[in-house]
Amino acid sequence: MGNSKQYTDEFRAEAVKQVIERGFTVVDVASRIGIPKHTLYGWVQAAKKTVRAPDTIAVRCD
């Protein structure tokens, strides 16, 4: 079981940002930063669930 890697929150957030906000593919980002594509895919899916939680209303205050 000693084969799992730990990634910082900042590393994960930046990788997810490149996919969601900048439009890069999961495969492209994963290969550039050297992580398995299924790992990044899981992070992206988790981020999308967090952002699009049901029964949530977004309110913008300027």
Side-chain angles (χ1 to χ4, degrees):
M1 285 196 241
N3 224 9
S4 67
K5 291 186 178 182
Q6 295 291 320
Y7 301 99
T8 65
D9 291 341
E10 293 83 5
F11 181 86
R12 291 178 191 220
E14 181 57 35
V16 169
K17 185 177 184 180
Q18 288 184 33
V19 174
I20 294 175
E21 294 180 13
R22 298 185 185 150
F24 293 108
T25 66
V26 169
V27 173
D28 184 39
V29 174
S31 66
R32 269 192 289 122
I33 64 176
I35 64 170
K37 63 185 177 206
H38 66 272
T39 299
L40 179 54
Y41 180 77
W43 297 348
V44 170
Q45 291 306 304
K48 286 181 178 179
K49 284 182 184 177
T50 302
V51 171
R52 297 182 188 167
D55 302 320
T56 302
I57 299 172
V59 177
R60 184 173 178 176
C61 299
D62 290 334

